[in-house]
Amino acid sequence: DLAERFVEDMDKQFWDAENGAYFMGEESVNGVTLPVRPKEVFDNSLPAGNSIALKVLVRLHNRTGKDEYLTRAQELVSALVTKLEISPSSFGYLLSAVSEMRNGEMGSRLYTGRGNVRVSAKKQITNTTNKMIDVVLDMKPGWHINAHEPKQDYLIGTSITDSVGEIIGGVSYPDAKLARLGFDRSELALYEGTVTLQVPLSALEPNGMSVPINVNVQACNDTVCLAPETIELTVSLANDNIN
């Protein structure tokens, strides 16, 4: 909510409605109109303001599902694309934000279902040899995801897959909740609220000191099911003996 308020103020005070991108300062200071309004666009030892703004817009879109943030992000990239093509090495942070916009975020906590489902993963703290990764799915009120084994053939069940899309065995899925919702009068098997899936580390393929996990979900509410999505999580294995 705070980030959304910041972006609203940022748009009002700094957005260049004519040429796109954000100015470094307001149009006037203490009632005096500034003769020049520069824009910070090149990434140096610190990212440029416009590069940071782009990543904020992309992540707000992922977390809220509001298309206005994606539209503004696309406008920002369009305003800088000529400079970007001439000197891409001057836009390292901006390019990382463009990558997130096109390919999604990376990390151990991501969002899906138009921002209505948060997916996170972490290594269990355990001294046993059966080491596990906890995948936690947290859904906003009024939203759910299909259980691992949905009752309807047209619904996509929640699953964990490897980097090539193969279903991973040995995953512990929670018990499904049975309910009837508006879009289907028959009984549905679903997860809602906060649920945890436990994935055996031995079934995954570590990449150095991290391990990738693909979480396949289909988010729904009482009236509609969104398209199925695959969330690519990266879980740190720091201080762990992956052998």
Side-chain angles (χ1 to χ4, degrees):
D1 293 341
L2 181 60
E4 288 195 86
R5 292 199 294 271
F6 277 138
V7 168
E8 182 180 2
D9 290 340
M10 183 174 69
D11 282 341
K12 289 180 179 178
Q13 297 179 47
F14 306 121
W15 179 254
D16 184 350
E18 183 176 351
N19 299 306
Y22 292 97
F23 292 112
M24 289 180 63
E26 293 189 75
E27 186 174 1
S28 62
V29 178
N30 296 327
V32 178
T33 300
L34 299 179
V36 178
R37 297 183 72 189
K39 295 176 182 176
E40 185 184 30
V41 298
F42 297 108
D43 296 322
N44 295 300
S45 56
L46 292 176
N50 274 284
S51 299
I52 295 175
L54 179 61
K55 186 159 288 191
V56 169
L57 291 166
V58 170
R59 293 189 173 186
L60 269 180
H61 174 254
N62 291 339
R63 285 154 176 74
T64 66
K66 296 180 180 178
D67 289 338
E68 62 195 75
Y69 296 122
L70 179 60
T71 298
R72 180 47 50 91
Q74 292 169 336
E75 292 171 344
L76 178 52
V77 173
S78 295
L80 301 176
V81 68
T82 300
K83 293 183 175 65
L84 180 59
E85 290 178 342
I86 293 174
S87 181
S89 61
S90 300
F91 294 91
Y93 196 86
L94 183 81
L95 285 170
S96 72
V98 172
S99 177
E100 282 193 10
M101 183 167 66
R102 298 184 61 181
N103 306 313
E105 294 180 46
M106 295 181 63
S108 60
R109 184 176 63 184
L110 302 177
Y111 292 76
T112 187
R114 297 180 182 172
N116 292 294
V117 181
R118 181 175 63 188
V119 187
S120 59
K122 63 179 180 180
K123 179 186 64 178
Q124 278 191 16
I125 304 300
T126 176
N127 294 322
T128 68
T129 57
N130 298 322
K131 298 180 180 179
M132 308 291 285
I133 300 293
D134 282 348
V135 177
V136 181
L137 299 110
D138 187 21
M139 290 145 274
K140 289 184 179 180
W143 285 84
H144 68 270
I145 58 175
N146 299 321
H148 175 55
E149 295 181 345
K151 288 178 171 293
Q152 287 72 21
D153 293 338
Y154 66 88
L155 295 176
I156 305 300
T158 298
S159 63
I160 303 294
T161 56
D162 60 20
S163 58
V164 296
E166 295 292 332
I167 297 291
I168 291 177
V171 177
S172 176
Y173 293 94
D175 293 334
K177 175 182 177 180
L178 302 180
R180 287 182 171 87
L181 300 177
F183 68 86
D184 194 320
R185 293 185 178 181
S186 58
E187 194 173 56
L188 301 170
L190 52 87
Y191 302 140
E192 62 181 7
T194 300
V195 297
T196 301
L197 284 57
Q198 294 187 318
V199 186
L201 181 57
S202 59
L204 303 172
E205 299 179 1
N207 181 14
M209 291 308 297
S210 65
V211 61
I213 298 180
N214 291 342
V215 185
N216 306 288
V217 298
Q218 184 177 27
C220 309
N221 60 22
D222 188 53
T223 59
V224 65
C225 274
L226 304 179
E229 298 178 73
T230 298
I231 310 303
E232 299 179 7
L233 299 171
T234 302
V235 185
S236 173
L237 297 177
N239 301 320
D240 187 75
N241 180 2
I242 62 176
N243 296 322

